[in-house]
Short mmCIF file of all heavy atoms in Angstrom, two decimals:
data_model
loop_
_atom_site.label_atom_id
_atom_site.label_comp_id
_atom_site.label_asym_id
_atom_site.label_seq_id
_atom_site.Cartn_x
_atom_site.Cartn_y
_atom_site.Cartn_z
N MET A 1 13.78 3.90 10.48
CA MET A 1 13.77 3.20 9.25
C MET A 1 12.34 2.87 8.83
O MET A 1 11.57 2.37 9.60
CB MET A 1 14.60 1.90 9.41
CG MET A 1 14.94 1.25 8.12
SD MET A 1 16.15 -0.10 8.37
CE MET A 1 16.13 -0.82 6.74
N ARG A 2 12.01 3.21 7.60
CA ARG A 2 10.65 2.95 7.15
C ARG A 2 10.58 1.87 6.12
O ARG A 2 11.47 1.70 5.29
CB ARG A 2 10.07 4.24 6.56
CG ARG A 2 9.92 5.32 7.61
CD ARG A 2 9.41 6.63 6.95
NE ARG A 2 8.17 6.37 6.22
CZ ARG A 2 7.50 7.32 5.61
NH1 ARG A 2 7.92 8.55 5.66
NH2 ARG A 2 6.40 7.07 4.96
N ASP A 3 9.49 1.10 6.19
CA ASP A 3 9.26 0.12 5.15
C ASP A 3 8.74 0.85 3.90
O ASP A 3 7.91 1.68 3.96
CB ASP A 3 8.21 -0.88 5.58
CG ASP A 3 8.74 -1.72 6.77
OD1 ASP A 3 9.93 -1.96 6.81
OD2 ASP A 3 7.88 -2.10 7.59
N LYS A 4 9.29 0.42 2.79
CA LYS A 4 8.72 0.92 1.55
C LYS A 4 7.69 -0.03 1.00
O LYS A 4 8.08 -1.16 0.59
CB LYS A 4 9.85 1.14 0.52
CG LYS A 4 9.37 1.91 -0.70
CD LYS A 4 10.51 2.18 -1.60
CE LYS A 4 10.08 3.12 -2.74
NZ LYS A 4 9.10 2.54 -3.64
N ILE A 5 6.49 0.33 1.06
CA ILE A 5 5.40 -0.54 0.62
C ILE A 5 4.77 0.03 -0.59
O ILE A 5 4.45 1.23 -0.67
CB ILE A 5 4.35 -0.72 1.72
CG1 ILE A 5 4.97 -1.42 2.93
CG2 ILE A 5 3.16 -1.52 1.23
CD1 ILE A 5 4.05 -1.55 4.14
N GLU A 6 4.66 -0.81 -1.62
CA GLU A 6 4.08 -0.37 -2.86
C GLU A 6 2.82 -1.09 -3.16
O GLU A 6 2.73 -2.32 -3.04
CB GLU A 6 5.07 -0.63 -4.00
CG GLU A 6 6.21 0.39 -4.03
CD GLU A 6 7.09 0.16 -5.28
OE1 GLU A 6 6.65 0.41 -6.36
OE2 GLU A 6 8.24 -0.30 -5.10
N ALA A 7 1.84 -0.35 -3.64
CA ALA A 7 0.58 -0.98 -4.04
C ALA A 7 0.70 -1.41 -5.51
O ALA A 7 1.16 -0.63 -6.32
CB ALA A 7 -0.57 0.00 -3.89
N VAL A 8 0.37 -2.65 -5.71
CA VAL A 8 0.38 -3.09 -7.11
C VAL A 8 -0.97 -3.76 -7.44
O VAL A 8 -1.61 -4.33 -6.55
CB VAL A 8 1.48 -4.10 -7.42
CG1 VAL A 8 2.89 -3.48 -7.28
CG2 VAL A 8 1.40 -5.35 -6.53
N GLU A 9 -1.33 -3.67 -8.68
CA GLU A 9 -2.58 -4.34 -9.10
C GLU A 9 -2.15 -5.69 -9.70
O GLU A 9 -1.32 -5.72 -10.59
CB GLU A 9 -3.28 -3.49 -10.16
CG GLU A 9 -4.62 -4.12 -10.55
CD GLU A 9 -5.28 -3.31 -11.64
OE1 GLU A 9 -4.94 -3.44 -12.81
OE2 GLU A 9 -6.13 -2.48 -11.33
N VAL A 10 -2.70 -6.73 -9.16
CA VAL A 10 -2.45 -8.05 -9.76
C VAL A 10 -3.70 -8.57 -10.46
O VAL A 10 -4.80 -8.18 -10.08
CB VAL A 10 -2.00 -9.04 -8.65
CG1 VAL A 10 -0.65 -8.67 -8.06
CG2 VAL A 10 -3.05 -9.26 -7.60
N LYS A 11 -3.50 -9.42 -11.41
CA LYS A 11 -4.66 -9.97 -12.08
C LYS A 11 -4.43 -11.39 -12.45
O LYS A 11 -3.28 -11.89 -12.64
CB LYS A 11 -5.01 -9.11 -13.31
CG LYS A 11 -4.51 -9.63 -14.60
CD LYS A 11 -4.93 -8.76 -15.74
CE LYS A 11 -4.16 -9.24 -16.97
NZ LYS A 11 -4.42 -8.46 -18.14
N CYS A 12 -5.51 -12.12 -12.52
CA CYS A 12 -5.52 -13.53 -12.91
C CYS A 12 -5.50 -13.61 -14.43
O CYS A 12 -6.37 -13.06 -15.11
CB CYS A 12 -6.74 -14.20 -12.36
SG CYS A 12 -6.89 -15.91 -12.89
N PRO A 13 -4.44 -14.28 -14.98
CA PRO A 13 -4.38 -14.39 -16.47
C PRO A 13 -5.49 -15.25 -17.01
O PRO A 13 -5.73 -15.21 -18.21
CB PRO A 13 -2.99 -15.04 -16.66
CG PRO A 13 -2.66 -15.72 -15.40
CD PRO A 13 -3.36 -14.93 -14.31
N LYS A 14 -6.14 -16.03 -16.17
CA LYS A 14 -7.16 -16.93 -16.64
C LYS A 14 -8.54 -16.31 -16.71
O LYS A 14 -9.23 -16.34 -17.69
CB LYS A 14 -7.16 -18.16 -15.75
CG LYS A 14 -7.62 -19.45 -16.42
CD LYS A 14 -7.19 -20.60 -15.55
CE LYS A 14 -7.75 -21.93 -16.09
NZ LYS A 14 -7.39 -23.03 -15.19
N CYS A 15 -8.94 -15.72 -15.55
CA CYS A 15 -10.29 -15.17 -15.53
C CYS A 15 -10.34 -13.65 -15.35
O CYS A 15 -11.38 -13.05 -15.22
CB CYS A 15 -11.11 -15.85 -14.43
SG CYS A 15 -10.51 -15.61 -12.75
N ASN A 16 -9.12 -13.01 -15.38
CA ASN A 16 -9.03 -11.57 -15.28
C ASN A 16 -9.53 -10.93 -14.00
O ASN A 16 -9.86 -9.74 -14.01
CB ASN A 16 -9.71 -10.89 -16.52
CG ASN A 16 -8.81 -10.95 -17.75
OD1 ASN A 16 -7.57 -11.00 -17.65
ND2 ASN A 16 -9.44 -10.98 -18.91
N ARG A 17 -9.62 -11.69 -13.01
CA ARG A 17 -9.97 -11.14 -11.67
C ARG A 17 -8.84 -10.22 -11.21
O ARG A 17 -7.69 -10.61 -11.29
CB ARG A 17 -10.21 -12.27 -10.67
CG ARG A 17 -10.73 -11.79 -9.38
CD ARG A 17 -10.70 -12.93 -8.37
NE ARG A 17 -11.10 -12.48 -7.05
CZ ARG A 17 -12.34 -12.58 -6.54
NH1 ARG A 17 -13.25 -13.14 -7.26
NH2 ARG A 17 -12.62 -12.10 -5.37
N LYS A 18 -9.18 -9.05 -10.71
CA LYS A 18 -8.11 -8.11 -10.26
C LYS A 18 -8.19 -7.87 -8.79
O LYS A 18 -9.27 -7.99 -8.16
CB LYS A 18 -8.34 -6.77 -10.98
CG LYS A 18 -7.92 -6.82 -12.44
CD LYS A 18 -8.09 -5.48 -13.09
CE LYS A 18 -7.68 -5.50 -14.53
NZ LYS A 18 -7.93 -4.26 -15.24
N GLN A 19 -7.04 -7.55 -8.25
CA GLN A 19 -6.93 -7.32 -6.82
C GLN A 19 -5.74 -6.41 -6.55
O GLN A 19 -4.81 -6.37 -7.33
CB GLN A 19 -6.69 -8.70 -6.15
CG GLN A 19 -6.94 -8.74 -4.71
CD GLN A 19 -6.81 -10.13 -4.13
OE1 GLN A 19 -7.17 -11.10 -4.76
NE2 GLN A 19 -6.24 -10.23 -2.95
N ILE A 20 -5.84 -5.63 -5.51
CA ILE A 20 -4.74 -4.77 -5.10
C ILE A 20 -3.97 -5.43 -3.92
O ILE A 20 -4.59 -5.86 -2.97
CB ILE A 20 -5.22 -3.41 -4.63
CG1 ILE A 20 -6.03 -2.68 -5.73
CG2 ILE A 20 -4.02 -2.51 -4.21
CD1 ILE A 20 -5.35 -2.36 -6.95
N VAL A 21 -2.64 -5.53 -4.09
CA VAL A 21 -1.84 -6.08 -2.96
C VAL A 21 -0.69 -5.12 -2.69
O VAL A 21 -0.35 -4.28 -3.53
CB VAL A 21 -1.27 -7.48 -3.24
CG1 VAL A 21 -2.37 -8.51 -3.37
CG2 VAL A 21 -0.37 -7.48 -4.45
N TYR A 22 -0.22 -5.17 -1.51
CA TYR A 22 0.88 -4.33 -1.08
C TYR A 22 2.15 -5.16 -0.87
O TYR A 22 2.23 -6.03 -0.05
CB TYR A 22 0.50 -3.62 0.24
CG TYR A 22 -0.69 -2.70 0.03
CD1 TYR A 22 -1.95 -3.20 0.25
CD2 TYR A 22 -0.51 -1.40 -0.41
CE1 TYR A 22 -3.05 -2.39 0.02
CE2 TYR A 22 -1.57 -0.58 -0.60
CZ TYR A 22 -2.85 -1.08 -0.42
OH TYR A 22 -3.97 -0.26 -0.60
N ILE A 23 3.12 -4.90 -1.75
CA ILE A 23 4.40 -5.64 -1.67
C ILE A 23 5.43 -4.71 -1.06
O ILE A 23 5.36 -3.52 -1.19
CB ILE A 23 4.84 -6.11 -3.08
CG1 ILE A 23 4.94 -4.95 -4.07
CG2 ILE A 23 3.89 -7.21 -3.58
CD1 ILE A 23 5.59 -5.34 -5.34
N PRO A 24 6.43 -5.29 -0.34
CA PRO A 24 6.65 -6.69 -0.13
C PRO A 24 5.92 -7.25 1.08
O PRO A 24 6.18 -8.40 1.49
CB PRO A 24 8.18 -6.77 0.05
CG PRO A 24 8.48 -5.48 0.74
CD PRO A 24 7.52 -4.45 0.19
N LYS A 25 5.02 -6.50 1.63
CA LYS A 25 4.32 -6.95 2.82
C LYS A 25 3.44 -8.17 2.57
O LYS A 25 3.31 -9.00 3.39
CB LYS A 25 3.45 -5.79 3.34
CG LYS A 25 3.02 -5.98 4.77
CD LYS A 25 2.10 -4.75 5.15
CE LYS A 25 1.56 -5.03 6.54
NZ LYS A 25 0.41 -4.13 6.81
N GLU A 26 2.80 -8.21 1.42
CA GLU A 26 1.92 -9.28 1.07
C GLU A 26 2.48 -10.02 -0.17
O GLU A 26 3.05 -9.38 -1.06
CB GLU A 26 0.53 -8.76 0.71
CG GLU A 26 -0.19 -8.09 1.85
CD GLU A 26 -1.49 -7.46 1.40
OE1 GLU A 26 -2.05 -7.87 0.38
OE2 GLU A 26 -1.97 -6.55 2.09
N PRO A 27 2.38 -11.33 -0.19
CA PRO A 27 2.84 -12.06 -1.36
C PRO A 27 1.83 -11.91 -2.49
O PRO A 27 0.66 -11.49 -2.24
CB PRO A 27 2.89 -13.52 -0.84
CG PRO A 27 1.89 -13.61 0.24
CD PRO A 27 1.83 -12.20 0.90
N ILE A 28 2.27 -12.19 -3.71
CA ILE A 28 1.33 -12.20 -4.81
C ILE A 28 0.42 -13.39 -4.64
O ILE A 28 0.88 -14.49 -4.54
CB ILE A 28 2.10 -12.32 -6.17
CG1 ILE A 28 3.17 -11.24 -6.30
CG2 ILE A 28 1.08 -12.26 -7.34
CD1 ILE A 28 2.65 -9.83 -6.32
N PRO A 29 -0.88 -13.12 -4.56
CA PRO A 29 -1.81 -14.22 -4.20
C PRO A 29 -2.15 -15.08 -5.41
O PRO A 29 -1.91 -14.72 -6.56
CB PRO A 29 -3.06 -13.46 -3.73
CG PRO A 29 -2.99 -12.19 -4.54
CD PRO A 29 -1.57 -11.84 -4.71
N LYS A 30 -2.78 -16.20 -5.06
CA LYS A 30 -3.41 -16.99 -6.13
C LYS A 30 -4.88 -16.58 -6.25
O LYS A 30 -5.46 -16.12 -5.27
CB LYS A 30 -3.28 -18.49 -5.79
CG LYS A 30 -1.86 -18.96 -5.92
CD LYS A 30 -1.77 -20.48 -5.69
CE LYS A 30 -0.32 -20.87 -5.90
NZ LYS A 30 -0.10 -22.27 -5.44
N CYS A 31 -5.37 -16.74 -7.43
CA CYS A 31 -6.77 -16.35 -7.68
C CYS A 31 -7.69 -17.15 -6.81
O CYS A 31 -7.64 -18.40 -6.81
CB CYS A 31 -7.09 -16.58 -9.17
SG CYS A 31 -8.76 -16.28 -9.58
N PRO A 32 -8.56 -16.50 -6.06
CA PRO A 32 -9.49 -17.20 -5.20
C PRO A 32 -10.59 -17.98 -5.95
O PRO A 32 -11.20 -18.87 -5.43
CB PRO A 32 -10.11 -16.10 -4.33
CG PRO A 32 -9.92 -14.86 -5.09
CD PRO A 32 -8.67 -15.02 -5.92
N ASP A 33 -10.71 -17.63 -7.20
CA ASP A 33 -11.74 -18.31 -8.04
C ASP A 33 -11.23 -19.60 -8.68
O ASP A 33 -11.85 -20.62 -8.63
CB ASP A 33 -12.24 -17.38 -9.14
CG ASP A 33 -13.13 -16.29 -8.57
OD1 ASP A 33 -13.67 -16.44 -7.44
OD2 ASP A 33 -13.34 -15.29 -9.25
N CYS A 34 -10.05 -19.50 -9.32
CA CYS A 34 -9.58 -20.64 -10.09
C CYS A 34 -8.23 -21.21 -9.61
O CYS A 34 -7.74 -22.18 -10.11
CB CYS A 34 -9.52 -20.29 -11.58
SG CYS A 34 -8.34 -19.03 -11.99
N GLY A 35 -7.58 -20.52 -8.65
CA GLY A 35 -6.37 -21.03 -8.09
C GLY A 35 -5.08 -20.76 -8.89
O GLY A 35 -4.03 -21.25 -8.58
N THR A 36 -5.21 -20.00 -9.98
CA THR A 36 -4.07 -19.68 -10.81
C THR A 36 -3.18 -18.61 -10.13
O THR A 36 -3.71 -17.71 -9.50
CB THR A 36 -4.51 -19.13 -12.16
OG1 THR A 36 -5.36 -20.11 -12.78
CG2 THR A 36 -3.36 -18.80 -13.08
N GLN A 37 -1.86 -18.71 -10.20
CA GLN A 37 -1.00 -17.70 -9.68
C GLN A 37 -1.26 -16.41 -10.40
O GLN A 37 -1.19 -16.30 -11.60
CB GLN A 37 0.47 -18.16 -9.84
CG GLN A 37 1.49 -17.14 -9.37
CD GLN A 37 1.46 -17.01 -7.86
OE1 GLN A 37 1.65 -17.93 -7.09
NE2 GLN A 37 1.27 -15.74 -7.44
N MET A 38 -1.54 -15.35 -9.64
CA MET A 38 -1.84 -14.08 -10.25
C MET A 38 -0.55 -13.37 -10.65
O MET A 38 0.55 -13.68 -10.10
CB MET A 38 -2.65 -13.18 -9.31
CG MET A 38 -4.02 -13.86 -9.03
SD MET A 38 -4.99 -12.97 -7.82
CE MET A 38 -6.04 -11.95 -8.81
N VAL A 39 -0.60 -12.46 -11.59
CA VAL A 39 0.58 -11.72 -12.03
C VAL A 39 0.38 -10.22 -11.83
O VAL A 39 -0.71 -9.73 -11.83
CB VAL A 39 0.84 -12.03 -13.52
CG1 VAL A 39 1.21 -13.48 -13.76
CG2 VAL A 39 -0.28 -11.61 -14.42
N ILE A 40 1.46 -9.51 -11.68
CA ILE A 40 1.42 -8.07 -11.55
C ILE A 40 0.97 -7.48 -12.87
O ILE A 40 1.60 -7.68 -13.90
CB ILE A 40 2.76 -7.50 -11.06
CG1 ILE A 40 3.06 -7.98 -9.67
CG2 ILE A 40 2.77 -5.98 -11.12
CD1 ILE A 40 4.46 -7.58 -9.17
N SER A 41 -0.07 -6.68 -12.83
CA SER A 41 -0.51 -6.05 -14.06
C SER A 41 -0.16 -4.56 -14.11
O SER A 41 0.01 -3.99 -15.17
CB SER A 41 -2.01 -6.25 -14.29
OG SER A 41 -2.78 -5.39 -13.54
N GLU A 42 -0.07 -3.95 -12.94
CA GLU A 42 0.19 -2.51 -12.94
C GLU A 42 0.79 -2.09 -11.62
O GLU A 42 0.38 -2.57 -10.57
CB GLU A 42 -1.15 -1.75 -13.17
CG GLU A 42 -0.97 -0.36 -13.68
CD GLU A 42 -2.33 0.25 -13.92
OE1 GLU A 42 -3.28 -0.49 -14.31
OE2 GLU A 42 -2.47 1.47 -13.73
N LEU A 43 1.78 -1.25 -11.69
CA LEU A 43 2.33 -0.64 -10.46
C LEU A 43 1.52 0.64 -10.15
O LEU A 43 1.36 1.47 -11.01
CB LEU A 43 3.81 -0.28 -10.65
CG LEU A 43 4.74 -1.49 -10.89
CD1 LEU A 43 6.17 -0.93 -11.22
CD2 LEU A 43 4.84 -2.32 -9.65
N LEU A 44 1.15 0.76 -8.95
CA LEU A 44 0.38 1.92 -8.54
C LEU A 44 1.25 2.80 -7.67
O LEU A 44 0.90 3.05 -6.50
CB LEU A 44 -0.90 1.52 -7.81
CG LEU A 44 -1.80 0.51 -8.58
CD1 LEU A 44 -2.96 0.05 -7.67
CD2 LEU A 44 -2.37 1.13 -9.83
N ASP A 45 2.30 3.27 -8.20
CA ASP A 45 3.25 4.00 -7.42
C ASP A 45 2.92 5.51 -7.46
O ASP A 45 3.48 6.27 -8.26
CB ASP A 45 4.68 3.73 -7.92
CG ASP A 45 5.71 4.28 -6.95
OD1 ASP A 45 5.38 4.53 -5.79
OD2 ASP A 45 6.86 4.44 -7.40
N GLU A 46 1.99 5.91 -6.68
CA GLU A 46 1.54 7.29 -6.66
C GLU A 46 2.23 8.16 -5.65
O GLU A 46 2.02 9.38 -5.62
CB GLU A 46 0.03 7.32 -6.39
CG GLU A 46 -0.74 6.31 -7.22
CD GLU A 46 -1.54 7.00 -8.30
OE1 GLU A 46 -1.85 8.19 -8.14
OE2 GLU A 46 -1.84 6.37 -9.28
N GLY A 47 3.00 7.51 -4.81
CA GLY A 47 3.69 8.30 -3.79
C GLY A 47 2.75 8.91 -2.74
O GLY A 47 2.96 10.01 -2.27
N LYS A 48 1.69 8.19 -2.48
CA LYS A 48 0.73 8.67 -1.47
C LYS A 48 1.36 8.68 -0.07
O LYS A 48 2.03 7.74 0.30
CB LYS A 48 -0.50 7.82 -1.44
CG LYS A 48 -1.52 8.24 -2.41
CD LYS A 48 -2.76 7.40 -2.24
CE LYS A 48 -3.68 7.51 -3.45
NZ LYS A 48 -4.62 6.42 -3.50
N SER A 49 1.13 9.70 0.68
CA SER A 49 1.57 9.69 2.07
C SER A 49 0.53 10.33 2.95
O SER A 49 -0.21 11.24 2.55
CB SER A 49 2.89 10.42 2.18
OG SER A 49 2.76 11.73 1.79
N TYR A 50 0.46 9.82 4.15
CA TYR A 50 -0.55 10.37 5.11
C TYR A 50 0.17 11.07 6.22
O TYR A 50 1.20 10.56 6.65
CB TYR A 50 -1.42 9.24 5.69
CG TYR A 50 -2.41 8.74 4.66
CD1 TYR A 50 -2.07 7.72 3.78
CD2 TYR A 50 -3.68 9.30 4.56
CE1 TYR A 50 -2.99 7.26 2.82
CE2 TYR A 50 -4.59 8.86 3.62
CZ TYR A 50 -4.24 7.83 2.75
OH TYR A 50 -5.15 7.40 1.83
ZN1 ZN B 1 -8.77 -16.82 -11.87
#
């Protein structure tokens, strides 16, 4: 059984700081600069495999 991990780009709605997180392994983070809950801005579902 494999975990399905997806890379998503999240961004801060306040200062537009961007970050890549892997869900559901990582929670959507808060912005390290201003503490605002970041939102998903783009799904990066490229189907990469190694
Ligand atoms: Zn911010």
Side-chain angles (χ1 to χ4, degrees):
M1 193 169 172
R2 294 178 55 176
D3 294 329
K4 189 174 189 297
I5 296 176
E6 284 185 70
V8 295
E9 184 184 83
V10 295
K11 96 179 171 183
C12 174
K14 209 164 173 182
C15 62
N16 281 333
R17 186 189 175 98
K18 288 182 178 175
Q19 197 175 322
I20 304 295
V21 295
Y22 296 90
I23 56 170
K25 197 182 175 197
E26 297 175 21
I28 306 297
K30 287 184 178 169
C31 176
D33 287 341
C34 66
T36 302
Q37 178 68 57
M38 296 174 98
V39 296
I40 294 173
S41 79
E42 200 176 327
L43 295 173
L44 305 173
D45 192 17
E46 312 254 335
K48 272 185 197 163
S49 59
Y50 286 88

